[in-house]
Amino acid sequence: MVKITYIEFNGTEHIVDVETGMTVMEGARDNNIPGIEGDCGGACACSTCHVYVTQGMSDCSEADEDEEDRVEEAPGLQINSRLCCQAVVEGDGPIVVHVPSWNRNAVKEVPH
Ligand code: FES
């Protein structure tokens, strides 16, 4: 198990344990972390699962060429940008992941 801290765009932190070998997106889904869309279902075809890995990048699998090409389409690209459906948890952690605000699809938001 690896500790992953998911930080929402509004600063809310979720600290969870994720199994080694799972993707950062699977860890988010299993723990109901809001804000990660993943429109293509993890097929490296949409870039809506874009996150920033601010700690523990070396504890994630390296981005392959497909991911690198796709993540370039994500708004707000940074050196620590990853598509979380492609980032497999490999090391001991801890890993810290920031979810950008623009991943949220306003159309799908349920009004409060
Ligand atoms: Fe579409 Fe990750 S879910 S690229």
Side-chain angles (χ1 to χ4, degrees):
M1 288 290 204
V2 176
K3 280 247 178 292
I4 303 187
T5 303
Y6 294 91
I7 305 177
E8 290 184 61
F9 70 99
N10 63 7
T12 305
E13 291 189 9
H14 305 267
I15 302 171
V16 300
D17 290 317
V18 174
E19 202 95 43
T20 306
M22 290 177 72
T23 65
V24 173
M25 186 162 91
E26 287 167 337
R29 289 236 164 113
D30 286 358
N31 292 286
N32 300 312
I33 310 298
I36 299 174
E37 290 286 328
D39 283 352
C40 75
C44 197
C46 72
S47 85
T48 61
C49 66
H50 173 216
V51 296
Y52 301 122
V53 177
T54 54
Q55 192 186 327
M57 185 65 99
S58 59
D59 292 314
C60 300
S61 62
E62 273 187 43
D64 63 14
E65 219 171 290
D66 281 351
E67 181 186 347
E68 281 172 5
D69 287 350
R70 183 63 62 188
V71 79
E72 282 176 13
E73 295 169 9
L77 186 70
Q78 294 182 7
I79 190 83
N80 58 0
S81 288
R82 291 299 304 265
L83 297 180
C84 67
C85 70
Q86 302 299 306
V88 177
V89 176
E90 288 185 343
D92 297 330
I95 296 171
V96 179
V97 171
H98 285 253
V99 182
S101 60
W102 47 81
N103 278 13
R104 296 163 75 228
N105 184 338
V107 177
K108 287 187 194 161
E109 286 285 302
V110 181
H112 297 285

